[in-house]
Amino acid sequence: MSAPFTLPPLPYADDALAPVISANTMGFHYGKHHKTYVDNLNKLVDGTDFAQQSLTDIIKKTAGDKEKAGIFNNAAQIWNHTFFWESMKPSAGGKPTGKLASMIDSDLGGYDKFKTDFAQAAITQFGSGWAWLVSENGKLAIKKTGNAETPISGNATPLLTIDVWEHAYYLDYQNRRADFVNAVIDKLLDWDRANERLGA
Ligand code: MN
């Protein structure tokens, strides 16, 4: 079997985001969950045309196709997790700088309101899913998606995400999703990267 998809390296050490995200959580979340999506996708695309296609092409082509749900779910989860790791860095979070600072003021009612609304999207996503800050038609928007659903199957450009599947926080926070979400917002969100994604 060929294995066209590989687990991208973490952009920092597995303990770099502690204590917000412990090395133990990272070991399972990146080392087991993220890796399993890669292994599953390699099995599912083996011998198909998808084996030669990019992850984003596969996601766009299989979104909404019930017969391809397994391929979509694993491909989207690979992409979403890689994007999540790249939405955070140590000693970050809090108020943004640059173009996003002014866009949050003009489009989302200021940082305090953004923080409340972004956390609320993450906390109220029922069951498994993701909260997103996206750029859509030149404006910022907050979205939430269920399970593996991802904004890149539509027209929005993701800028930041938080994984709110229980596996993202249960070892460190048990059922306290709100504590996990607020700690990520306050201490880990990588606004520099988000500004780069905006082309700022
Ligand atoms: Mn996850």
Side-chain angles (χ1 to χ4, degrees):
M1 188 187 96
S2 66
F5 299 100
T6 54
L7 182 66
L10 266 185
Y12 30 69
D14 66 357
D15 62 353
L17 305 185
V20 178
I21 297 174
S22 69
N24 188 32
T25 288
M26 201 58 95
F28 281 95
H29 197 177
Y30 169 73
K32 306 283 188 194
H33 290 277
H34 195 175
K35 180 178 186 299
T36 297
Y37 298 126
V38 174
D39 294 344
N40 286 345
L41 185 64
N42 280 327
K43 286 178 201 155
L44 288 166
V45 301
D46 191 38
T48 75
D49 291 345
F50 289 121
Q52 278 80 44
Q53 297 177 21
S54 73
L55 206 52
T56 52
D57 281 349
I58 293 173
I59 291 166
K60 288 174 186 292
K61 286 177 183 172
T62 59
D65 183 345
K66 285 196 171 69
E67 289 181 8
K68 302 281 194 315
I71 292 175
F72 172 82
N73 285 334
N74 285 283
Q77 284 292 81
I78 295 170
W79 194 94
N80 289 348
H81 280 87
T82 302
F83 192 86
F84 177 48
W85 309 135
E86 294 176 350
S87 292
M88 302 181 289
K89 66 179 179 182
S91 304
K95 291 188 177 179
T97 55
K99 189 173 179 185
L100 273 171
S102 54
M103 286 183 77
I104 281 177
D105 286 345
S106 57
D107 298 345
L108 299 177
Y111 178 75
D112 290 345
K113 179 159 170 41
F114 156 77
K115 187 189 162 183
T116 302
D117 292 347
F118 192 44
Q120 196 63 13
I123 293 161
T124 59
Q125 168 54 41
F126 187 76
S128 297
W130 302 81
W132 304 87
L133 176 65
V134 304
S135 169
E136 196 170 38
N137 304 318
K139 286 199 153 199
L140 297 182
I142 292 167
K143 292 184 180 292
K144 54 184 175 180
T145 60
N147 298 317
E149 294 293 327
T150 177
I152 66 162
S153 60
N155 291 323
T157 301
L159 301 174
L160 293 170
T161 194
I162 302 179
D163 185 346
V164 294
W165 286 56
E166 275 192 347
H167 67 222
Y169 57 87
Y170 210 83
L171 294 175
D172 295 329
Y173 298 84
Q174 292 75 51
N175 64 324
R176 291 175 287 112
R177 185 192 288 188
D179 290 355
F180 163 71
V181 165
N182 282 306
V184 170
I185 294 172
D186 288 339
K187 295 174 179 169
L188 297 182
L189 286 185
D190 187 348
W191 289 111
D192 294 333
R193 185 78 73 116
N195 269 313
E196 287 170 19
R197 287 169 173 149
L198 197 60

